[in-house]
Amino acid sequence: MSNAMYNKMWHQTQEALNSLLDTESQKMMEPQKNQVFIFQMLATFYIKYVQIFRNLENVYDQIVHPQKRILIRKILDAVMGRILELKNEMVELELTEFHYFDDILQDLKLEPQQLDIPIPKYFLKEKLEVIKGREKILSQILAESGLDVSAEKYQVKPIPLEEAVKLIQIAERARQGRLRAMFMKQIYLQEYRAKQARLLGDKVADVSAAALRIQKVWRGFHQCKRTERQRREEMIFLGMNPPPLFNEVSAAMIQADRLCHLRNKVQIKHEEEYRDALVTIKDDLKLTEGPDIKENLQDQIRHWFIECRNLTGTFPDYPNEEEGGSAIIFSNKTPQQVIDDIVASQDEEEKTKKKKKEKKPKKEKKEKETKETKEKNKQEEEEMWKMSPSVFLHTMEEGNSVYKDLWKNKDESWNFPQDYDPELIKEDKRKELESEIRVQVDELMRQELKNLKLAVNREKELSARTGKKKGGKKKNKKKKGRKGKKDKDLTVDRTIESLYKELVEEGLLIQALKVSLSDYIGEYSYLGTSLRQVSIEPMPSLLDVRQLITLYAILPLGSAAVHEKAPLVKSLLLAGPSGVGKKMLVHAICTETGANLFNLSAANITGKYPGKSGLQMMLHVVFKVARKLQPSVVWIGDTEKTFYKKVPHAERKMEPKRLKKQLPKMLKLLKPDDRILIVGTTKRPFDAELQPFCKAYQKIILVPRPDYASRYVLWKEIIQRHGGVITDTLSVSCLAKITDGFTQGHIVQVVKEVLTERRIRQQSHKPLTALEFIASLTSMNPVYQEEEDSFKN
């Protein structure tokens, strides 16, 4: 795809965003009553924003113009935030985390796949070096302290010499035995043939009969092959089977991938050139335009002195540097407008003095009226629903207006390679330079004004001075807001590196597994809305879970701008039976955002940092490192143990409830600018005290066992990933039907057991069948409906 294509894509997306902002601003003003209508409206906005987000993410990743990318990034973050706000509105309206949009998708003619929320590539791209460096340090510490699990997996254990000799002897004898058996078979066959020839020696074979027999066999074989081929072609024609090379990566895809990498290199180069230009262009402007700017400013301020003197009879007071100096008077105003302002302010002062005298007696009546109207308005508001104000709409509108003014109709025929635009830099730097020069000019003009006042108006100057002494301006400056009590830093004298190392050695900071969120395979729930219409609450699909993980965990952790302003999610609970991929999702959050992973599971903190002071120190160190090296994920596995109703006798030594009182305190200490997420996983939430358990976790996501559609996709994908080939002899739909109640963990385990290296090699002459997989399933326990329902409740 060329630059022009991505530019065109951006322009189209901006048009869509512009019309969406217009409709949203209209709808926000209208209060509504009908809940179904409100949800339809919110869902439509949500879906449209997701489409804009998908396009903008693609454009931001591929456009190479550095100044365009700054604007796109600003809009992209705002769109992300708006999606989170709308999701929050829908959750509050329907009181459920899962929403179904089948009917709206049909109206908008969209596929469910287009609802997938992409993870912006810049999350990892922009801090790739940092992540790589951190990984290197982590693996180094793990290797030094002997905690490296990955290295242990592949270590060869030494065996005694006698055992080794025995093994070699066994293998050699087996090989010789196989050779001898083959040799004996050949001798036997030779003798058998000779015996048969002696018996049939008298009868001479009829040549024509033999030829006919050969022809029959050949024609039968040939026709079978032709029929088979025609059947395959028919199935492809009907769309039942994929065409040949359907799963192969096409040359066009390889070329597109290559171009993407090239484009990324160009992006980095243009970014560097742009940064250099910011410095050089400013220096050039200082030399060429600096003196003129200084002169113009001085003339402007002198003109203001004289006009004020003419209109009011006195020279004005010069604003302080803290107030903004002369910039506050001339901000976006011509000298004439400044003069008009002075006249208007004088008139207003006179009017307010008159009004104050008239107003006093009417106050009591007004107070009664306002109370009555407030009560009426409250009742009306309770009945009518109104969308809560958005933090991100203003940013989007701002970005949109910049796009309209600057880029929409800009002629870029001169800028084919899409490098930076020097004129735009000059405009920005002029403003910057002007504000720097203004500080110097203000100093000079303050002195000049002082001299003028002394020369022309000594008496007034003296009275003004005495007035200033009486006025309590200085006192206000001294008053400072009381600082809230901060957490004591228990490790003032220690570096972050040493604390990081300590946590790794204690096993509290662990290496996240390399799994992306797209590895969490599943299918959409296509009947959600239909089921809800007949008041059946559908089980969430695996892809609904994946979307919630993206919305609540990945987007806020990846983008600081989104995390700071969007509805804040500090803690997340993943509840579901064993084997549904809860831990995998935790690792995927870390992989997609480059976050550190802290493990505070009850089993992992047993015996570490003992006592009350030890616990405080542990949490202090964990959160100090998590803040410094954000984004961070604090994972509490089997979190129901922290909130046990009654601690089982076997687990009393483990002290599972150590974190129970500390967890709410930790959540209170997290601020919007701390990109830290606490994630709990549980397979037995019913063992916990529900009230404190649900208070600790803001969002609770049920991770269900896979439904039929998800199992079908899972079987297919996992067999292929482990080297299996799916042919007509393997009925995937049969496997999906039989494995109702089995989880992803079970399916992966079965596939690994069946697809050994030897079995993979045999596939060409012995294709896979469903029976092979079913045999391995018999030893496993499925998740029964009753257990699933208890999670749902």
Side-chain angles (χ1 to χ4, degrees):
M1 244 174 150
S2 63
N3 277 327
M5 277 298 286
Y6 282 109
N7 271 323
K8 190 180 176 186
M9 196 173 166
W10 181 38
H11 292 314
Q12 286 168 348
T13 310
Q14 282 295 153
E15 289 300 315
L17 180 64
N18 187 37
S19 62
L20 187 55
L21 286 171
D22 288 346
T23 50
E24 200 177 343
S25 58
Q26 287 165 15
K27 295 272 174 165
M28 273 181 84
M29 304 309 287
E30 303 166 10
Q32 300 291 343
K33 266 186 185 179
N34 185 349
Q35 191 172 338
V36 178
F37 179 79
I38 295 164
F39 178 75
Q40 293 270 337
M41 180 181 78
L42 286 172
T44 310
F45 284 149
Y46 174 81
I47 293 166
K48 285 182 176 175
Y49 271 118
V50 170
Q51 301 319 304
I52 287 166
F53 176 35
R54 286 167 72 89
N55 290 333
L56 274 180
E57 197 280 317
N58 199 358
V59 167
Y60 179 70
D61 186 49
Q62 292 298 307
I63 268 185
V64 294
H65 195 301
Q67 285 146 308
K68 284 180 186 174
R69 292 190 78 225
I70 292 167
L71 177 63
I72 296 168
R73 169 68 177 274
K74 184 183 171 185
I75 299 169
L76 178 67
D77 280 346
V79 169
M80 260 193 272
R82 186 68 190 131
I83 287 171
L84 292 179
E85 282 180 338
L86 287 167
K87 177 74 185 175
N88 195 47
E89 289 277 342
M90 289 191 287
V91 170
E92 283 179 10
L93 186 74
E94 288 208 319
L95 302 174
T96 171
E97 296 293 346
F98 299 96
H99 310 293
Y100 302 99
F101 312 118
D102 328 356
D103 44 349
I104 302 166
L105 286 173
Q106 275 181 330
D107 295 343
L108 296 171
K109 293 184 173 55
L110 293 172
E111 298 173 17
Q113 284 76 5
Q114 286 171 293
L115 262 185
D116 235 3
I117 293 156
I119 296 159
K121 296 175 198 74
Y122 80 78
F123 285 179
L124 293 177
K125 239 191 208 177
E126 289 183 3
K127 50 183 180 183
L128 203 60
E129 294 305 311
V130 179
I131 293 166
K132 277 182 182 172
R134 209 181 289 158
E135 276 176 7
K136 200 177 174 184
I137 294 164
L138 182 58
S139 52
Q140 218 171 329
I141 298 167
L142 286 170
E144 282 169 15
S145 53
L147 294 165
D148 198 352
V149 184
S150 58
E152 278 174 29
K153 270 185 195 173
Y154 306 107
Q155 274 179 357
V156 181
K157 286 180 182 176
I159 54 169
L161 185 67
E162 286 172 16
E163 258 184 66
V165 170
K166 229 180 218 177
L167 272 174
I168 294 165
Q169 282 177 343
I170 291 165
E172 180 56 25
R173 280 173 189 158
R175 189 185 69 84
Q176 286 177 4
R178 283 196 299 272
L179 279 175
R180 195 176 294 116
M182 273 173 70
F183 187 57
M184 293 304 290
K185 190 182 178 183
Q186 281 169 352
I187 291 169
Y188 167 75
L189 286 170
Q190 248 173 334
E191 285 175 359
Y192 180 73
R193 282 193 207 105
K195 193 180 173 184
Q196 288 294 98
R198 274 200 304 277
L199 283 170
L200 302 165
D202 306 332
K203 297 172 188 175
V204 178
D206 185 0
V207 178
S208 59
L212 195 68
R213 184 169 285 185
I214 291 166
Q215 283 175 352
K216 270 184 182 176
V217 172
W218 162 248
R219 280 178 182 160
F221 170 76
H222 186 63
Q223 187 57 44
C224 268
K225 286 284 173 194
R226 183 190 287 170
T227 310
E228 212 175 278
R229 192 176 69 244
Q230 284 173 344
R231 174 86 178 131
R232 270 204 308 271
E233 284 169 3
E234 186 188 12
M235 294 300 272
I236 290 166
F237 174 72
L238 293 171
M240 298 291 281
N241 281 352
L245 304 175
F246 179 73
N247 293 320
E248 297 295 311
V249 181
S250 67
M253 289 295 284
I254 294 165
Q255 173 72 353
D257 207 40
R258 202 170 61 79
L259 283 174
C260 277
H261 288 301
L262 276 173
R263 204 177 278 279
N264 288 341
K265 284 177 185 171
V266 174
Q267 257 179 15
I268 294 162
K269 185 176 156 242
H270 283 192
E271 208 72 50
E272 283 168 2
E273 286 172 2
Y274 173 67
R275 277 197 219 103
D276 295 342
L278 288 175
V279 179
T280 52
I281 288 174
K282 188 178 176 182
D283 292 344
D284 293 345
L285 279 174
K286 211 177 235 178
L287 286 170
T288 53
E289 297 183 16
D292 292 342
I293 292 170
K294 192 174 181 180
E295 212 169 287
N296 289 341
L297 285 174
Q298 282 177 324
D299 289 346
Q300 204 179 34
I301 292 163
R302 280 195 195 104
H303 184 64
W304 172 57
F305 289 167
I306 295 156
E307 285 296 333
C308 278
R309 167 86 176 154
N310 291 346
L311 287 165
T312 60
T314 56
F315 284 114
D317 290 331
Y318 210 95
N320 293 333
E321 205 172 317
E322 294 88 58
E323 290 168 1
S326 59
I328 58 160
I329 301 154
F330 295 100
S331 56
N332 304 326
K333 289 178 185 175
T334 60
Q336 189 54 46
Q337 284 173 314
V338 173
I339 294 154
D340 295 341
D341 283 355
I342 296 162
V343 177
S345 64
Q346 271 189 337
D347 295 343
E348 266 178 38
E349 272 176 31
E350 286 170 19
K351 280 179 187 175
T352 48
K353 278 177 189 174
K354 285 179 185 176
K355 275 184 186 176
K356 273 180 188 175
K357 288 172 187 174
E358 292 168 13
K359 268 185 186 176
K360 280 176 187 174
K362 289 183 184 178
K363 261 191 182 178
E364 286 170 25
K365 273 186 188 178
K366 275 207 170 179
E367 272 176 20
K368 279 183 187 176
E369 279 172 29
T370 49
K371 272 186 187 177
E372 284 170 19
T373 49
K374 270 183 187 175
E375 279 171 22
K376 273 186 189 177
N377 289 347
K378 263 190 186 176
Q379 284 173 347
E380 280 174 22
E381 271 176 24
E382 277 168 18
E383 288 170 19
M384 305 291 264
W385 178 91
K386 221 177 179 187
M387 201 184 289
S388 43
S390 166
V391 188
F392 294 96
L393 269 177
H394 177 64
T395 315
M396 281 192 283
E397 281 161 359
E398 229 172 58
N400 196 38
S401 60
V402 170
Y403 161 77
K404 279 181 191 169
D405 299 343
L406 202 59
W407 298 108
K408 191 177 180 182
N409 303 313
K410 195 173 177 69
D411 176 28
E412 286 191 279
S413 52
W414 61 274
N415 191 4
F416 180 72
Q418 289 288 287
D419 209 340
Y420 66 85
D421 187 337
E423 287 307 313
L424 290 177
I425 297 176
K426 275 183 186 173
E427 277 177 39
D428 283 347
K429 291 296 162 189
R430 263 194 204 101
K431 286 172 189 169
E432 217 175 279
L433 191 64
E434 192 176 303
S435 60
E436 281 174 20
I437 292 171
R438 193 181 284 279
V439 175
Q440 300 165 7
V441 170
D442 281 354
E443 278 302 307
L444 290 170
M445 297 315 284
R446 271 194 199 94
Q447 200 53 48
E448 198 171 303
L449 182 64
K450 212 174 186 182
N451 297 339
L452 277 171
K453 282 182 177 178
L454 283 168
V456 178
N457 227 338
R458 282 190 180 199
E459 288 168 26
K460 280 185 184 178
E461 175 66 18
L462 283 166
S463 63
R465 271 188 194 172
T466 50
K468 266 187 189 176
K469 280 174 192 173
K470 285 172 191 174
K473 271 190 183 176
K474 283 180 185 177
K475 281 180 188 175
N476 291 350
K477 281 181 194 173
K478 284 176 189 174
K479 281 183 184 177
K480 284 182 184 176
R482 286 183 187 176
K483 286 184 181 177
K485 283 183 184 176
K486 277 196 176 179
D487 246 17
K488 276 186 184 177
D489 195 347
L490 304 173
T491 51
V492 185
D493 51 338
R494 291 185 60 183
T495 61
I496 284 293
E497 287 77 14
S498 69
L499 294 173
Y500 183 87
K501 192 176 179 186
E502 184 184 307
L503 288 174
V504 175
E505 285 168 351
E506 288 285 353
L508 297 178
L509 203 163
I510 60 171
Q511 198 156 18
L513 302 173
K514 285 272 171 286
V515 282
S516 56
L517 195 66
S518 56
D519 294 335
Y520 190 74
I521 306 154
E523 189 49 278
Y524 286 91
S525 171
Y526 291 94
L527 295 171
T529 311
S530 317
L531 285 169
R532 274 198 178 163
Q533 280 165 357
V534 291
S535 62
I536 299 170
E537 183 56 35
M539 274 311 277
S541 72
L542 300 188
L543 289 191
D544 290 325
V545 171
R546 197 166 90 180
Q547 276 195 9
L548 289 183
I549 294 292
T550 310
L551 287 169
Y552 293 148
I554 295 174
L555 295 187
L557 281 179
S559 166
V562 172
H563 192 278
E564 219 165 295
K565 294 178 184 172
L568 188 59
V569 176
K570 294 178 182 180
S571 56
L572 193 65
L573 176 68
L574 304 176
S578 186
V580 290
K582 301 183 293 294
K583 287 190 197 85
M584 179 194 169
L585 287 170
V586 175
H587 288 285
I589 293 168
C590 296
T591 306
E592 296 288 9
T593 56
N596 299 291
L597 181 57
F598 298 87
N599 182 0
L600 293 187
S601 308
N604 192 47
I605 60 173
T606 303
K608 293 170 187 177
Y609 295 93
K612 199 175 180 182
S613 58
L615 182 64
Q616 274 182 328
M617 176 58 90
M618 177 181 80
L619 293 175
H620 167 74
V621 174
V622 165
F623 279 87
K624 187 175 179 179
V625 174
R627 271 194 190 93
K628 283 283 178 191
L629 306 175
Q630 53 185 279
S632 298
V633 171
V634 177
W635 169 44
I636 305 171
D638 295 327
T639 185
E640 80 283 347
K641 292 182 179 181
T642 311
F643 297 93
Y644 264 145
K645 291 174 193 168
K646 191 184 177 188
V647 180
H649 191 71
E651 290 182 25
R652 276 185 189 159
K653 277 186 182 175
M654 199 171 88
E655 287 184 272
K657 293 171 85 168
R658 273 181 92 190
L659 285 179
K660 187 180 177 182
K661 286 179 183 173
Q662 299 297 327
L663 199 58
K665 288 178 190 172
M666 289 173 352
L667 286 168
K668 275 181 188 172
L669 290 172
L670 292 181
K671 298 179 191 76
D673 54 346
D674 295 330
R675 276 187 292 152
I676 300 170
L677 181 72
I678 296 171
V679 183
T681 55
T682 175
K683 58 185 174 217
R684 295 193 58 79
F686 7 88
D687 291 351
E689 270 182 82
L690 279 181
Q691 205 177 2
F693 188 49
C694 294
K695 260 188 185 178
Y697 291 103
Q698 261 175 290
K699 298 283 180 188
I700 298 175
I701 298 174
L702 169 59
V703 187
R705 57 185 193 170
D707 56 0
Y708 172 80
S710 292
R711 290 195 301 276
Y712 184 85
V713 178
L714 268 162
W715 273 112
K716 243 182 159 174
E717 189 74 28
I718 290 167
I719 288 171
Q720 284 169 340
R721 282 189 186 189
H722 287 83
V725 178
I726 292 169
T727 58
D728 297 340
T729 56
L730 177 62
S731 172
V732 181
S733 55
C734 165
L735 280 175
K737 191 76 184 156
I738 285 167
T739 49
D740 185 11
F742 289 92
T743 63
Q744 295 95 313
H746 291 135
I747 293 171
V748 171
Q749 198 180 326
V750 167
V751 172
K752 279 181 179 172
E753 278 176 24
V754 173
L755 290 178
T756 56
E757 280 183 39
R758 184 162 175 264
R759 185 66 190 89
I760 289 167
R761 283 200 301 274
Q762 291 173 344
Q763 283 183 107
S764 53
H765 59 272
K766 187 185 168 188
L768 292 170
T769 61
L771 271 170
E772 294 175 71
F773 295 99
I774 291 163
S776 295
L777 279 168
T778 50
S779 60
M780 294 176 183
N781 291 322
V783 176
Y784 294 103
Q785 189 65 48
E786 291 77 13
E787 189 181 341
E788 176 129 277
D789 290 341
S790 62
F791 274 99
K792 202 170 167 182
N793 295 338

